[in-house]
Amino acid sequence: MRGRGGPPLALNLLRGLFLVFLLNEPDFREATDHRLHQDFVSLGEEKNLLLPYIPPTTAPQPFLPHLAPSPSGDTFPRLSGLCPLNISSVGSMMKTTAVDCWAFFAPFLANVICCPQLQATLVILIGQSSKDNGMLALGVTHANHCLSDVQQILASQGANDDLQQICSIHPSNLTEASCPVNNVNAFESSVDTSRLLAACKKVDPVNECCTQICQNSIIEAATKISLKDGSLPSMNGAHILPVHSSIMDDCKSVVLRWLASKLDPDQAKQALRQISNCNVNKACPLVFPKTKSVAKFCGNVIKNRTACCSSMENYVSHLQKQSFITNLQALDCAALLGMQLQKANISENVYRLCHVTLKDFSLQVGTQESGCLLPSLPSDATLDQSSGVSFTCDLNDNIAAPWPSASQTSASSCNKSIKFPEIPAATSTSERGVTMLRLLITSLLVFTMISNLRSSQS
């Protein structure tokens, strides 16, 4: 939201960085880690809303790097020695996952970056190992050991040590669960593998979410292997199996592992992350508080614009503490909140009145002026040994939040008139240099903040 006055942007950015550096202090860390885990927000129900044209930025801004590499990255993980998977086969991907799920950021990047990358890594790990052992699933005992080992390795490289809870991943996710097929031979005897591989060997990063060429092939293959034991109910000779049933979900996992065995790890990652993002971008992951306070000052005819926008600003501030979201998620969040406000008898476009932008729906850094929207296409965080972890912000230029029209009905985001944002450009060396300068200036002042914190606690 703009036009509110307050400290200069540069000062606010420094304040945001002060807090992040402060999190390295032992006195501050324990309480903060507990709060971070509480801030993770799970994905909501799917909503299909008309998406307006979003002009791509010519030079998307990188998010300011935080948290220089931790000494924990040099520790040797304690492994069980009982996991049959060849974890070294995805060594490079494990390093990427550790950065994507970096200790401090994991709860805030969970929905968009961390958990999709972790899930893809586990699928590829089992798929690659199946080339040697012929198995597309683990037994429960081995699943426990392998998941524990993966967590230990990631934590030793700087990842959050509670990823199983953050990403809701359990040992059963590495087994066949309720799917009747768990090995390569049974899978390949049941599925048209050439057709499946042709559909998913190269997933279109722009059109897959709409054409669903690969996704439909995965569902078809999952349906076939789910019928393998012939135990499913039928009506008039036709088997009935909901697309989102537990058996279908379990069998889709087996299908993905087989695909990962036939593609090289980078190809497999691209396909899995793209499919995941198709689901991620369909829904707003934010939890909306009740709109009663906003309706009080903005409902019917707005008599006091200042009071209305103040209540709107206060409401939006609750959204800004939850998680980073993509630009397409922000569009859905804006539409969803707009409809809730309209139901509360707010007819005027309070987004325009109060200068609400898409950035206002994402986690804020220091102040409301520095929100970061992540790209709609899959992206990863990066690690620089000198400056720390960073990730790219897209559409970081105050694009107005769209107010839903009275005649708007639920529509597919795959409308051909919709133009999706371009892939963000790579961060330039000069941008990193400027960021490092900010980082160094901040470090000179952080001790003052630490001293003030300790004084307030004593």
Side-chain angles (χ1 to χ4, degrees):
M1 298 173 73
R2 297 168 288 178
R4 301 174 185 159
L9 175 57
L11 178 58
N12 284 329
L13 286 173
L14 287 177
R15 287 178 177 173
L17 279 173
F18 295 162
L19 178 59
V20 177
F21 267 88
L22 197 59
L23 291 170
N24 275 328
E25 276 296 295
D27 293 346
F28 201 83
R29 203 166 205 168
E30 183 176 353
T32 304
D33 285 345
H34 175 73
R35 180 181 64 79
L36 292 180
H37 292 313
Q38 299 302 315
D39 284 336
F40 172 67
V41 182
S42 59
L43 186 65
E45 295 181 354
E46 291 187 2
K47 301 173 184 68
N48 293 313
L49 299 169
L50 187 61
L51 303 178
Y53 168 66
I54 305 176
T57 56
T58 55
Q61 300 178 11
F63 187 65
L64 299 180
H66 298 281
L67 297 183
S70 165
S72 65
D74 298 325
T75 61
F76 190 80
R78 296 180 179 178
L79 303 183
S80 66
L82 299 173
C83 175
L85 300 179
N86 182 12
I87 298 181
S88 63
S89 67
V90 293
S92 175
M93 194 164 297
M94 290 285 283
K95 292 180 180 178
T96 300
T97 305
V99 177
D100 284 348
C101 298
W102 200 256
F104 173 77
F105 290 120
F108 301 115
L109 294 174
N111 177 251
V112 181
I113 293 180
C114 171
C115 297
Q117 174 63 18
L118 175 59
Q119 291 159 356
T121 300
L122 293 172
V123 168
I124 294 170
L125 175 57
I126 297 176
Q128 290 293 309
S129 297
S130 73
K131 292 189 290 186
D132 296 323
N133 59 29
M135 298 302 296
L136 294 171
L138 295 176
V140 176
T141 301
H142 283 150
N144 275 286
H145 292 307
C146 289
L147 189 56
S148 175
D149 285 356
V150 168
Q151 172 70 76
Q152 292 298 321
I153 293 172
L154 292 175
S156 74
Q157 296 178 353
N160 192 294
D161 59 6
D162 199 16
L163 293 182
Q164 292 185 49
Q165 179 179 340
I166 291 173
C167 298
S168 298
I169 291 181
H170 309 285
S172 60
N173 297 129
L174 279 64
T175 70
E176 73 271 24
S178 60
C179 186
V181 171
N182 64 5
N183 66 78
V184 174
N185 290 335
F187 181 90
E188 294 181 348
S189 67
S190 306
V191 174
D192 184 346
T193 56
S194 59
R195 179 176 176 177
L196 173 61
L197 192 58
C200 297
K201 187 173 184 178
K202 188 174 181 180
V203 175
D204 189 323
V206 176
N207 297 316
E208 171 62 26
C209 296
C210 297
T211 61
Q212 298 187 6
I213 292 175
C214 176
Q215 294 172 84
N216 286 336
S217 293
I218 290 171
I219 291 174
E220 179 182 348
T223 300
K224 288 183 178 180
I225 62 174
S226 67
L227 302 174
K228 185 73 174 177
D229 64 355
S231 62
L232 295 174
S234 62
M235 181 177 292
N236 297 327
H239 290 285
I240 301 173
L241 191 64
V243 173
H244 295 293
S245 67
S246 60
I247 292 181
M248 277 293 288
D249 288 340
D250 295 336
C251 285
K252 280 191 283 187
S253 294
V254 172
V255 175
L256 293 176
R257 293 168 196 162
W258 181 87
L259 277 171
S261 74
K262 299 302 178 182
L263 305 175
D264 66 56
D266 287 338
Q267 279 184 309
K269 174 190 170 178
Q270 182 182 13
L272 293 171
R273 289 291 304 277
Q274 178 58 44
I275 292 170
S276 173
N277 264 47
C278 288
N279 295 322
V280 164
N281 286 318
K282 285 180 180 178
C284 172
L286 303 181
V287 174
F288 291 99
K290 294 182 179 179
T291 58
K292 183 178 179 180
S293 59
V294 181
K296 178 180 178 181
F297 295 100
C298 303
N300 301 315
V301 178
I302 299 176
K303 298 178 180 179
N304 187 327
R305 173 175 174 172
T306 301
C308 171
C309 289
S310 178
S311 65
M312 189 65 193
E313 177 181 352
N314 182 63
Y315 184 92
V316 171
S317 70
H318 291 286
L319 306 180
Q320 296 169 345
K321 300 173 183 177
Q322 296 186 26
S323 65
F324 290 108
I325 62 176
T326 70
N327 43 51
L328 294 184
Q329 284 179 321
L331 285 167
D332 192 77
C333 290
L336 180 60
L337 176 59
M339 289 187 289
Q340 290 188 13
L341 294 174
Q342 288 174 346
K343 290 179 180 179
N345 295 322
I346 299 174
S347 57
E348 187 169 348
N349 184 348
V350 291
Y351 290 167
R352 181 175 58 205
L353 180 70
C354 303
H355 306 291
V356 178
T357 69
L358 290 180
K359 288 194 307 180
D360 290 320
F361 290 86
S362 189
L363 189 72
Q364 305 296 292
V365 185
T367 73
Q368 67 273 12
E369 292 292 347
S370 51
C372 171
L373 291 176
L374 299 175
S376 57
L377 295 177
S379 62
D380 293 300
T382 58
L383 174 64
D384 185 280
Q385 292 298 325
S386 59
S387 59
V389 176
S390 64
F391 42 91
T392 302
C393 296
D394 195 13
L395 305 181
N396 206 26
D397 55 352
N398 293 317
I399 293 177
W403 183 253
S405 65
S407 60
Q408 182 174 342
T409 57
S410 184
S412 172
S413 61
C414 293
N415 185 307
K416 294 304 179 182
S417 65
I418 303 303
K419 296 184 179 181
F420 290 87
E422 293 180 349
I423 299 175
T427 303
S428 68
T429 303
S430 60
E431 288 174 322
R432 287 176 179 166
V434 171
T435 300
M436 267 305 297
L437 177 61
R438 294 193 185 108
L439 205 60
L440 291 173
I441 293 173
T442 301
S443 65
L444 296 175
L445 299 173
V446 70
F447 295 107
T448 302
M449 294 192 66
I450 295 171
S451 177
N452 292 338
L453 174 69
R454 286 172 173 167
S455 297
S456 64
Q457 290 177 336
S458 60

